[in-house]
């Protein structure tokens, strides 16, 4: 649905694998994309609504972690809207995408829409991965009392800067020297795949380590208050550990 393979759909000289996906039940493919993106969109919006018994006046004070979670949700919503819009155009105007052809000649607007929508989706989901990494870093720094709202500016610079840089670099290497040659050889596709999956692998590998260190730091911090580890403090540490585990479980799924 948000695969780096989307950008290769925009190549007029598609390889056999890409052409198979494009021709095999395209209505079903686009329908599944719209349905899954809509479910994701709905669940994300429900997550942003005030919790039961929590009025807008009683909302907790904003922190760097809550801001990051909000930005992750926004990236997910905008990325899902991109998937829905792209799939709706493909479903409603099949002839529009069919104009991307090396045989019949490629029109400018279908190629521009294809590349632009694919970049929009990749950029926002990549930014979501980077924000997840920042959430793990921020959680650890908060426990170490080395983070605050001021660090959110650094997170913005890192997240959007790296997401834009990787996205533009991957697209440029894929379509170099022109969009007509983007499927000619693996040297075009491999750098694009690497720049797409780098933030995802970073979250999968580094985030569990950071979350584990955060839980250990919380336990040490609670013990350091009175030199003992009570049942309430043990329960708090367990709740934090379960929260981080659920975050990683949902992300992996």
């Amino acid at each position: 649905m948000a695969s780096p393979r989307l950008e290769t759909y925009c190549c007029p000289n598609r390889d056999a694998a890409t052409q198979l996906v494009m021709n095999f039940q395209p209505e079903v493919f686009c329908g599944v994309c719209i349905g899954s993106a809509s479910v994701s969109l709905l669940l994300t919006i429900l997550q942003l609504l005030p919790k039961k018994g929590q009025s807008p006046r009683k909302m907790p004070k904003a922190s760097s972690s809550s801001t990051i979670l909000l930005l992750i949700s926004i990236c997910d919503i905008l990325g899902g809207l991109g998937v829905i819009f792209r799939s709706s155009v493909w479903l409603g105007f099949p002839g529009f995408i069919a104009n991307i052809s090396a045989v019949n000649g490629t029109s400018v607007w279908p190629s521009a829409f294809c590349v632009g929508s694919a970049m929009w989706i990749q950029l926002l989901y990549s930014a979501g991965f980077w924000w997840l990494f920042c959430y793990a870093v921020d959680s650890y720094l908060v426990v170490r009392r080395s983070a605050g709202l001021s660090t959110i500016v650094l997170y913005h610079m890192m997240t959007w800067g790296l997401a834009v840089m990787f996205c533009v670099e991957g697209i440029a290497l894929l379509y170099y020297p022109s969009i007509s040659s983007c499927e000619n050889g693996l040297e075009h596709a491999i750098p694009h795949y690497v720049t797409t999956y780098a933030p995802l692998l970073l979250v999968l590998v580094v985030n569990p380590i950071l979350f584990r260190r955060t839980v250990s730091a919380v336990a040490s911090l609670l013990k350091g208050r009175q030199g003992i580890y009570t049942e309430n403090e043990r329960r708090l540490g367990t709740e934090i550990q379960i929260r981080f585990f659920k975050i990683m479980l949902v992300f992996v799924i």
Side-chain angles (χ1 to χ4, degrees):
M1 185 173 78
S3 165
R5 193 76 182 174
L6 290 177
E7 283 81 354
T8 63
Y9 293 175
C10 307
C11 300
N13 51 332
R14 304 184 184 105
D15 65 2
T18 303
Q19 195 63 45
L20 175 65
V21 175
M22 294 292 291
N23 294 336
F24 182 74
Q25 301 292 337
E27 294 84 5
V28 176
F29 172 75
C30 292
V32 170
C33 288
I34 293 174
S36 55
S38 300
V39 171
S40 174
L41 201 66
L42 177 62
L43 294 177
T44 304
I45 293 174
L46 290 175
Q47 184 181 1
L48 293 175
L49 296 176
K51 302 298 184 293
K52 185 178 180 180
Q54 187 180 60
S55 63
R57 294 182 180 180
K58 296 181 180 180
M59 293 292 285
K61 185 179 179 181
S63 63
S64 55
S65 295
S66 60
T67 302
I68 292 173
L69 291 175
L70 175 62
L71 290 168
I72 293 173
S73 299
I74 291 174
C75 288
D76 193 57
I77 290 173
L78 294 178
L81 288 174
V83 172
I84 293 173
F85 178 69
R86 184 210 69 206
S87 300
S88 298
V89 172
W90 284 17
L91 197 60
F93 306 95
F96 184 69
I97 300 301
N99 289 330
I100 304 176
S101 171
V103 178
N104 301 326
T106 302
S107 302
V108 175
W109 289 113
S111 297
F113 167 78
C114 185
V115 175
S117 60
M119 285 187 66
W120 173 268
I121 295 168
Q122 181 190 349
L123 176 64
L124 286 164
Y125 279 113
S126 295
F129 298 152
W130 286 114
W131 278 119
L132 277 168
F133 173 70
C134 290
Y135 178 75
V137 172
D138 188 74
S139 299
Y140 179 73
L141 293 179
V142 166
V143 174
R144 293 295 183 179
R145 300 178 182 178
S146 302
L149 284 175
S150 59
T151 57
I152 199 70
V153 178
L154 298 177
Y155 297 147
H156 273 290
M157 294 173 61
M158 185 186 77
T159 298
W160 297 114
L162 290 174
V164 171
M165 183 184 71
F166 278 3
C167 183
V168 172
E169 179 187 9
I171 292 295
L173 292 173
L174 179 66
Y175 296 139
Y176 178 83
S178 69
I179 191 173
S180 300
S181 60
C182 58
E183 282 284 324
N184 293 337
L186 289 176
E187 67 274 7
H188 292 283
I190 290 178
H192 170 61
Y193 275 69
V194 170
T195 55
T196 301
Y197 284 115
L200 187 147
L201 292 175
L202 180 70
V203 173
L204 284 175
V205 174
V206 179
N207 274 31
I209 299 174
L210 287 173
F211 285 153
R212 184 64 183 173
R213 292 178 64 89
T214 301
V215 172
S216 300
V218 168
S220 300
L221 185 65
L222 293 176
K223 289 179 183 177
R225 289 181 176 179
Q226 298 178 347
I228 56 176
Y229 199 34
T230 65
E231 184 63 30
N232 290 335
E233 291 166 343
R234 186 178 291 105
R235 187 182 301 111
L236 176 60
T238 303
E239 290 176 358
I240 295 174
Q241 187 172 4
I242 293 175
R243 176 183 176 88
F244 290 156
F245 173 77
K246 288 179 178 179
I247 291 174
M248 286 306 304
L249 180 63
V250 171
F251 178 77
V252 171
I253 292 173

